[in-house]
Each structure stands twice: as structure tokens, then as C-alpha cells.
């Protein structure tokens, strides 16, 4: 994967592939969009980190035009990933809005999805959409939140700002993991694997925090 992405680094195709993966991720949560974002950032950072052996070398590279070019790639990757995340959320939200009855029946079959939908509605009503941000990191949380907001007919004004914040936070975190991993450890499977582990750890923590209100209520 790293070799393939490396050949696409600096080309529009890299952003197309990343965007499509993130867009489809909301409907097929098993797609490794986070892994792909990390790998792309690792590849870009590995180029800037190549050959740096001292702190002085790192400073010189950071101030060079070459380093600035790759910094622009990293920023572009964050913007691309965040934008694709929000677009995917809104597509799922609109589909669920229009097919509300069908999605509502599907959600009602699962106690977990029903509870998540109720908590989402309460959070958005209170203006505390932090749940939307947390759910973006949790496995399949983005799908539940986007579809749940549509089924509940939450307004765009309630949902979109939190979706944008969630997408930006997730994109910045994922790209940062890949960038710093590639910059410190180089473009290798080890750096990508460690970054992916950190992403999954954040997802597990987010899933735990999202479920906590339900556990407290049960007690």
C-alpha cells in the first residue's frame, strides 16, 4: 500500500482515492479509510524525513522549499479528508431523511442503535453535539450518527456544524498520526502499524465514552 500511495503522492489521484474511501465509509464501515489516510500521510512525511539524521538537518529541511511543498500536501490531505467526511455524512443524512420510515424500522430492530439515536437527539437538542465528534472516532459511529440524525429529522443547522467539527478533528488526528510516524520512523510498515494502533485506541476510547451514558442510566 505504501509503495502504491508513494507513486501517487503529489498527484490528484491520491486525493481522489482517499475521498472515495471516506465517502463510502459511512455506508460500508469496514472500509479502511482511516488506515488509508494514515498511509498517505506517512508516505508524504517519509519523503521529507528521508536523510534527516540530526536536529540541525531537520531544521534546515523544514525551512526548505521542498519541506514546504510536503507541508502543503499534508494540509491538503487534512482538508480533503475532512471535506469527504462531511459530504459522506450529509449524503447519509439526506438519504435517511427521505427514507425515514424504512431506516427507522431498521434502527428499531436494534436496541443499541435505538439508544444511540435517542442520545444523539437529546445531545443535538441541547446544543451539545460533542457526541457527534466522539462517534466519528468510534467504529461505525459515524454511520449511526448520520443515519440517526436523518431519521430523527434533525435540522441541517443542528447537525452540519458538529459533522464538520467531527470530520476536521478526525482528519487532523489521522493525518497527524501518519505524518509524525513517517517523519520520526520513516516510510515503513512499522510506523504505519503504530499509527493505526493509535487510531484504533482512540476509536475504542470514543466507543467507551459514547456508551457510558447508557450504562449509567441502566444503573
Amino acid at each position: 500500500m505504501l509503495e502504491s500511495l508513494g507513486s501517487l503522492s503529489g498527484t490528484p489521484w491520491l486525493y481522489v482515492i482517499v475521498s472515495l474511501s471516506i465517502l463510502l465509509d459511512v455506508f460500508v464501515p469496514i472500509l479502511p479509510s482511516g488506515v488509508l489516510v494514515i498511509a498517505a500521510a506517512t508516505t508524504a512525511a517519509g519523503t521529507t524525513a528521508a536523510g534527516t539524521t540530526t536536529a540541525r538537518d531537520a531544521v534546515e529541511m523544514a525551512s526548505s522549499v521542498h519541506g514546504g511543498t510536503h507541508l502543503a500536501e499534508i494540509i491538503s490531505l487534512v482538508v480533503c479528508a475532512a471535506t469527504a467526511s462531511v459530504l459522506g455524512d450529509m449524503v447519509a443524512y439526506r438519504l435517511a431523511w427521505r427514507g425515514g420510515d424504512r431506516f427507522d424500522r431498521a434502527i428499531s430492530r436494534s436496541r443499541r442503535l435505538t439508544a444511540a439515536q435517542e442520545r444523539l437527539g437529546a445531545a443535538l437538542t441541547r446544543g451539545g453535539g460533542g457526541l457527534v465528534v466522539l462517534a466519528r472516532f468510534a467504529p461505525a459511529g459515524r454511520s449511526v450518527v448520520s443515519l440517526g440524525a436523518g431519521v430523527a429529522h434533525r435540522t441541517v443547522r443542528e447537525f452540519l456544524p458538529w459533522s464538520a467539527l467531527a470530520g476536521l478533528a478526525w482528519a487532523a488526528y489521522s493525518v497527524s498520526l501518519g505524518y509524525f510516524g513517517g517523519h520520526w520512523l520513516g516510510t515503513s510498515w512499522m510506523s504505519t502499524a503504530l499509527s493505526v494502533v493509535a487510531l484504533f485506541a482512540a476509536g475504542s476510547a470514543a466507543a467507551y465514552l459514547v456508551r457510558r451514558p447508557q450504562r449509567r442510566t441502566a444503573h
Side-chain angles (χ1 to χ4, degrees):
M1 180 186 292
L2 292 177
E3 290 79 5
S4 300
L5 291 177
S7 64
L8 296 175
S9 182
T11 69
W13 286 110
L14 176 65
Y15 304 107
V16 171
I17 293 173
V18 169
S19 297
L20 286 176
S21 175
I22 297 172
L23 279 169
L24 296 176
D25 178 313
V26 70
F27 301 103
V28 188
I30 61 173
L31 287 177
S33 60
V35 177
L36 187 60
V37 171
I38 287 175
T42 299
T43 301
T47 306
T48 63
T52 57
T53 57
T54 66
R56 180 179 179 181
D57 292 335
V59 172
E60 291 177 353
M61 178 169 288
S63 62
S64 67
V65 175
H66 186 66
T69 300
H70 285 279
L71 179 59
E73 290 183 16
I74 293 298
I75 294 174
S76 298
L77 186 58
V78 171
V79 174
C80 172
T83 302
S85 178
V86 175
L87 289 177
D89 288 355
M90 295 308 297
V91 170
Y93 164 81
R94 283 298 185 186
L95 288 175
W97 179 292
R98 294 177 180 177
D101 293 338
R102 182 171 53 190
F103 281 102
D104 202 18
R105 287 194 297 269
I107 289 177
S108 65
R109 297 191 188 103
S110 170
R111 293 176 59 187
R112 177 181 296 181
L113 293 179
T114 300
Q117 182 183 2
E118 292 174 353
R119 291 199 302 275
L120 170 65
L124 291 176
T125 299
R126 295 193 307 267
L131 176 64
V132 179
V133 179
L134 277 177
R136 183 62 183 86
F137 290 83
R142 176 190 179 201
S143 302
V144 172
V145 164
S146 300
L147 295 174
V151 168
H153 285 189
R154 297 294 162 183
T155 65
V156 174
R157 186 183 303 176
E158 288 178 313
F159 179 62
L160 180 57
W162 291 106
S163 172
L165 179 60
L168 182 59
W170 175 82
Y173 180 72
S174 302
V175 171
S176 295
L177 287 177
Y179 174 77
F180 289 112
H183 190 74
W184 292 333
L185 302 177
T187 306
S188 67
W189 284 108
M190 178 61 70
S191 63
T192 302
L194 290 175
S195 299
V196 170
V197 168
L199 181 65
F200 285 162
S204 298
Y208 171 76
L209 292 173
V210 168
R211 290 195 299 265
R212 271 178 56 184
Q214 183 179 4
R215 291 179 177 176
R216 288 178 177 175
T217 302
H219 290 301

